[in-house]
């Protein structure tokens, strides 16, 4: 596979979002589920019962995505650093 998180889906579970969710409250709900799903996946592989769901090409999601404004800021800073290093 050439992408990030573009391979087959082994297991998934939707975690509902609540109006008053914070990063911490969401993590408190999804992290235990993530561990349960990983353990279930290992069991399925060990027992030979793994069935995967193919993703559509390019449908995979990345865990990290740089927001466009942050990308512009980072590129601007890198250009500035590059210009100042050429002067030295």
């Amino acid at each position: 596979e050439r992408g990030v998180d573009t391979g087959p889906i082994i297991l998934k579970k939707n975690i509902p979002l609540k109006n008053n969710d914070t990063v911490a409250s969401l993590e408190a709900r999804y992290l235990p589920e993530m561990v349960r799903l990983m353990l279930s996946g290992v069991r399925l592989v060990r027992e030979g019962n793994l069935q995967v769901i193919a993703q559509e090409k390019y449908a995979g999601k990345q865990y990290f995505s740089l927001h466009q404004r942050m990308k512009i800021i980072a590129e601007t800073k890198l250009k500035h650093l590059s210009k100042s290093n050429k002067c030295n």
Side-chain angles (χ1 to χ4, degrees):
E1 124 186 30
R2 297 182 70 82
V4 176
D5 293 334
T6 56
I9 299 168
I10 296 173
L11 295 168
K12 68 178 181 177
K13 179 172 183 169
N14 292 328
I15 306 296
L17 294 175
K18 299 178 181 177
N19 287 338
N20 60 345
D21 261 336
T22 63
V23 171
S25 67
L26 189 56
E27 277 184 337
R29 285 200 315 280
Y30 90 76
L31 286 175
E33 292 299 329
M34 181 179 71
V35 171
R36 279 192 271 281
L37 286 174
M38 283 195 278
L39 292 173
S40 295
V42 169
R43 274 190 226 102
L44 289 169
V45 169
R46 185 180 59 214
E47 295 165 359
N49 295 324
L50 182 65
Q51 295 180 5
V52 298
I53 303 165
Q55 286 194 75
E56 292 179 28
K57 193 172 184 177
Y58 308 113
K61 301 291 183 200
Q62 294 185 9
Y63 287 112
F64 175 77
S65 177
L66 191 59
H67 189 279
Q68 185 61 30
R69 283 184 282 176
M70 292 301 294
K71 183 178 179 184
I72 291 168
I73 291 169
E75 288 171 346
T76 302
K77 287 185 177 186
L78 285 172
K79 284 179 187 176
H80 177 72
L81 281 171
S82 177
K83 286 179 184 178
S84 65
N85 283 340
K86 287 180 182 176
C87 294
N88 293 333

